[in-house]
Amino acid sequence: MIIYKTKDYQDMSRKAAQVIAAQITMKPDCVLGLATGSSPVGLYQHLVEQYNNKELDFSKVTSVNLDEYKGLAPDHEQSYRRFMDSNLFDHVNIDKSRTFVPNGLEEDSSKACSDYNQTIQKAGGVDLQLLGIGNNGHIGFNEPGEAFECETHCVELTPSTIEANKRFFASEADVPRYAYTMGIRNIMQAKKILLIASGRAKAQALKEALYGPVTPHVPASILQLHADVVVVADEEALELID
């Protein structure tokens, strides 16, 4: 595991974008596992800037996203498909037919999860998986629990995750209660993992994830067992780590 300490959010975003840009440059037809939420927004802005400067070519890239809210259509303003279009896909030359997000409108959870596992397999697996970390140590929507969930599954969101995400909706009542998410096995099968974190609110979770016991009560702690993890975090997120 390699940890890069950056000054602030913008510095973190710039450094993390460099890691992804290097992956695309080394393997133009790579498969990127992508994440949503506030943490990667700056990173995506830097990737778009590099594309506009003709430093990156996304034409052969395939992407698979970590998760999607169950019940939201792709064009819903808070869907993760819409997030990816708005923050990255609409601004670069990626082939959208090779960008994949779980089907939030599939009511049959077993089918939705099975279909997405097959999508990942058909893509050839993930070369680089981007992750944020929740205040409770979750990655994707893999919440703290009694066991590590293996593959794509439907999860009931915890109160803390609903609370964290309500700022994106009109009210807490509008936040979906369920989501489809890649499981820990999907994530751990990626060849390389890039974990980003910013802000003091992530400090405790990051410390427990990187230096605490490996436990499903802190889902991100499983990353300690992966062979190739890069952590890019700012000073506040790393303030509890020497």
Side-chain angles (χ1 to χ4, degrees):
M1 181 181 293
I2 299 174
I3 301 175
Y4 291 106
K5 183 177 183 178
T6 64
K7 182 179 180 181
D8 53 23
Y9 177 80
Q10 285 301 326
D11 195 21
M12 179 208 75
S13 300
R14 181 170 53 254
K15 180 63 178 178
Q18 291 173 352
V19 175
I20 293 180
Q23 174 66 63
I24 297 172
T25 300
M26 291 186 296
K27 187 179 181 183
D29 61 346
C30 64
V31 179
L32 298 178
L34 298 179
T36 55
S38 57
S39 294
V41 170
L43 180 161
Y44 293 145
Q45 291 172 346
H46 281 286
L47 291 178
V48 170
E49 181 180 349
Q50 291 184 61
Y51 167 75
N52 289 334
N53 291 336
K54 303 186 185 306
E55 298 169 0
L56 279 181
D57 178 11
F58 290 82
S59 63
K60 297 179 181 179
V61 170
T62 298
S63 73
V64 289
N65 259 74
L66 276 170
D67 39 37
E68 178 61 284
Y69 289 116
K70 183 178 182 180
L72 295 194
D75 59 353
H76 188 284
E77 63 179 1
Q78 295 302 336
S79 76
Y80 287 154
R81 162 59 72 178
R82 180 77 173 271
F83 175 97
M84 292 306 307
D85 286 345
S86 299
N87 286 280
L88 182 63
F89 298 157
D90 285 347
H91 308 290
V92 298
N93 64 334
I94 197 166
D95 181 351
K96 285 193 179 181
S97 70
R98 293 209 304 271
T99 63
F100 301 98
V101 180
N103 181 7
L105 291 182
E106 176 56 70
E107 295 184 2
D108 184 337
S109 297
S110 295
K111 183 178 188 305
C113 297
S114 176
D115 288 349
Y116 204 60
N117 286 329
Q118 291 180 27
T119 294
I120 298 169
Q121 292 171 4
K122 288 180 181 178
V126 175
D127 291 300
L128 185 153
Q129 178 65 60
L130 172 65
L131 298 173
I133 183 171
N135 294 351
N136 61 0
H138 75 234
I139 46 177
F141 276 129
N142 292 281
E143 303 283 6
E146 297 304 316
F148 290 112
E149 296 283 358
C150 290
E151 295 189 313
T152 307
H153 58 286
C154 183
V155 61
E156 182 175 5
L157 304 187
T158 64
S160 66
T161 297
I162 292 171
E163 176 69 21
N165 288 356
K166 74 177 184 180
R167 67 188 187 277
F168 301 117
F169 293 82
S171 69
E172 180 181 315
D174 294 317
V175 182
R177 265 41 185 178
Y178 293 88
Y180 295 128
T181 184
M182 284 189 198
I184 296 300
R185 178 182 294 171
N186 299 117
I187 292 170
M188 292 293 285
Q189 286 178 337
K191 296 180 180 69
K192 187 183 191 72
I193 292 175
L194 171 60
L195 177 69
I196 60 175
S198 174
R200 190 166 285 114
K202 301 296 178 72
Q204 185 62 39
L206 196 60
K207 179 182 178 181
E208 293 178 3
L210 302 186
Y211 292 100
V214 176
T215 169
H217 295 292
V218 183
S221 65
I222 194 71
L223 300 179
Q224 295 179 40
L225 304 181
H226 194 279
D228 189 357
V229 176
V230 175
V231 179
V232 182
D234 64 16
E235 293 176 353
E236 290 187 349
L238 288 169
E239 68 177 9
L240 299 181
I241 298 173
D242 291 333

